[in-house]
Amino acid sequence: MNHTTTIYADYQATTPLDPRVRERMAPFWSESFGNPHSSDHAIGWQAHRAVEHAAASVAALIGADADEIVFTSGATEANNLALFGLAQRASPEANRILVSAIEHKCVLAASLAIAERSGLTVETIPVNQEGMLDLSALEIALDDDVLMASIMLVNNEVGTIQDLPTISALLSSRNIPFHCDAAQAPSAMDVKTLAHHADMISLSAHKMYGPQGIGALCIRRHLQNRVEPLIYGGDQQNGLRSGTLPLPLCVGMGMAAEIATNSQALEERCRIAHLRDHFIQLLQKSHCPLSINGPLGHRRHPGNANLRFDGFDAHALLGSLQPSLAASTGAACTTGLPAPSHVLRAIGLSVEESEASIRFSFGRFTTEREIRLAATLVQEAIASSYGALY
Ligand SMILES: Cc1ncc(COP(=O)(O)O)c(C=O)c1O
């Protein structure tokens, strides 16, 4: 088989920039170049208006107000700001942070750093085989000494969508601030009431067809004076995150949010879920030895297919698929040495099973033809590995 282009099945790592976003951003790289914080001239005012419009679009995506949006460099920074920000102004009695076992590495690493530096305790709430939070364990953990809970909405590896209203009701009944990492959510579900359920929400533009290098933390108004900034300087963004805002990136994130909110979003998610299911069916029909990791049905990100090929090494399989098909393992490879995914381990998989798992993720620009080709490529890779094995 001959492939001139790579089939992209790694939308949960990053989404391609939507051409409509690129078009909206274009003038802000050239003629509309102003500093949005220059208050003495019209070029600055124009830039400021563009940023305000972008903040309003991001706020509308999740049901918040524009002045509750703090632009950051991405969801990693947003998560750090939420956790460190609240921890640094915590009263001595509030000394426990609750996180789910399947949070993104940046939430887990930030909360561990807080524990090391300030002596707060971090408690991990387990999940079941589908990645759903153990609600009774959460309920048992709740007490007056809990500073905050950080629980993601949509998982980046197995696509699990949490029961947000129930989690939110449990936390708000005890007045515990709820931080929700929603980086993967706008592509996966309708998030227009998210801000009614969480006190702080992290977003990332490059997971929703916007540019890389920008994200946002929504901090509901009642919590803003309890958050210590990570970055000090010229007091931009209400002093919550100083530094000149990257105008084209803000505009791009705003446009990405507008597209995610439009009337075709539901139809798009259904189309993607259908393509994803078709991919799995094609592999099953060809008798590929596969199991599905994570939940089935409506509790799963529509583009996510985390598949396990028992007896195979996921890295080797992906390597043999290069450069024809881009997908990824859940393994964290930050040190150069791949470690088994903490998410797959948390849902009960063994190290071997984790290492046999590949995350395929599809999205807005995936076509039916690509799905068929991708399935054929995986079948071929499996068949030739069989040959190598036996
Ligand atoms: C759930 C989740 N949170 C946070 C992040 C980090 O986002 P960013 O790349 O914008 O820093 C990611 C990216 O993989 C993610 O999937």
Side-chain angles (χ1 to χ4, degrees):
M1 211 177 230
N2 225 352
H3 299 280
T4 47
T5 52
T6 304
I7 297 171
Y8 189 67
D10 206 9
Y11 275 73
Q12 284 189 275
T14 194
T15 46
L17 193 69
D18 189 298
R20 292 165 289 182
V21 174
R22 190 182 308 121
E23 202 181 309
R24 178 74 74 88
M25 289 168 69
F28 295 93
W29 295 113
S30 51
E31 67 268 24
S32 303
F33 61 88
N35 181 330
H37 314 290
S38 297
S39 53
D40 291 327
H41 52 72
I43 292 178
W45 302 336
Q46 190 195 17
H48 180 72
R49 276 197 300 277
V51 166
E52 281 200 321
H53 181 84
S57 303
V58 173
L61 173 73
I62 53 174
D65 292 326
D67 63 353
E68 296 175 315
I69 300 299
V70 179
F71 285 112
T72 61
S73 60
T76 299
E77 186 191 324
N79 287 338
N80 273 267
L81 177 57
L83 288 151
F84 277 100
L86 215 57
Q88 281 178 27
R89 291 205 183 155
S91 64
E93 306 80 57
N95 53 24
R96 288 162 63 221
I97 296 178
L98 308 180
V99 297
S100 88
I102 57 168
E103 290 306 303
H104 190 270
K105 275 272 149 113
C106 61
V107 166
L108 298 177
S111 47
L112 287 179
I114 291 168
E116 266 174 31
R117 285 183 204 174
S118 50
L120 273 84
T121 320
V122 179
E123 279 174 38
T124 306
I125 309 296
V127 296
N128 69 13
Q129 271 187 323
E130 299 194 322
M132 295 298 287
L133 194 75
D134 181 337
L135 293 172
S136 18
L138 176 65
E139 206 167 354
I140 291 167
L142 299 182
D143 213 334
D144 294 342
D145 58 354
V146 175
L147 170 66
M148 69 188 298
S150 183
I151 296 160
M152 68 183 356
L153 179 50
V154 179
N155 183 262
N156 48 304
E157 290 190 37
V158 290
T160 309
I161 300 178
Q162 297 298 336
D163 176 357
L164 195 76
T166 306
I167 294 170
S168 160
L170 279 173
L171 295 171
S172 63
S173 70
R174 306 294 298 250
N175 267 330
I176 296 170
F178 175 18
H179 166 243
C180 180
D181 176 357
Q184 296 282 345
S187 306
M189 60 189 287
D190 186 338
V191 288
K192 69 172 177 286
T193 60
L194 182 48
H196 305 179
H197 294 294
D199 303 292
M200 292 194 281
I201 298 157
S202 298
L203 295 167
S204 175
H206 77 97
K207 309 285 184 188
M208 54 181 198
Y209 309 94
Q212 295 180 349
I214 184 156
L217 180 66
C218 166
I219 312 177
R220 299 307 321 254
R221 211 165 290 119
H222 65 271
L223 215 58
Q224 290 192 354
N225 61 0
R226 288 179 55 189
V227 176
E228 177 83 13
L230 289 180
I231 300 174
Y232 284 89
D235 268 352
Q236 290 92 342
Q237 304 203 76
N238 267 336
L240 284 163
R241 203 266 192 179
S242 287
T244 303
L245 281 167
L247 176 61
L249 302 185
C250 294
V251 168
M253 184 166 187
M255 181 60 181
E258 283 170 36
I259 297 171
T261 329
N262 76 17
S263 56
Q264 278 111 56
L266 173 62
E267 198 183 308
E268 175 178 287
R269 289 196 293 274
C270 292
R271 187 189 77 87
I272 294 167
H274 175 79
L275 289 175
R276 184 265 322 266
D277 293 344
H278 188 41
F279 174 70
I280 297 173
Q281 281 153 14
L282 285 171
L283 290 179
Q284 283 169 332
K285 268 196 212 141
S286 71
H287 306 295
C288 265
L290 72 85
S291 315
I292 302 172
N293 297 325
L296 299 174
H298 74 288
R299 284 267 165 227
R300 187 180 200 114
H301 184 306
N304 174 285
N306 192 312
L307 305 180
R308 194 169 80 241
F309 302 94
D310 283 327
F312 291 85
D313 177 68
H315 281 289
L317 262 185
L318 284 173
S320 71
L321 284 163
Q322 298 319 300
S324 309
L325 176 64
S328 60
T329 63
C333 196
T334 40
T335 55
L337 292 171
S341 149
H342 69 282
V343 173
L344 297 180
R345 299 286 284 135
I347 65 169
L349 267 59
S350 66
V351 171
E352 255 183 8
E353 288 170 329
S354 309
E355 288 173 350
S357 299
I358 298 179
R359 177 190 69 183
F360 300 91
S361 48
F362 305 105
R364 184 170 291 165
F365 306 109
T366 306
T367 63
E368 176 66 43
R369 179 173 172 276
E370 285 181 318
I371 288 290
R372 278 187 267 108
L373 274 174
T376 308
L377 285 164
V378 175
Q379 284 155 27
E380 287 175 358
I382 296 270
S384 62
S385 307
Y386 262 132
L389 283 173
Y390 304 107

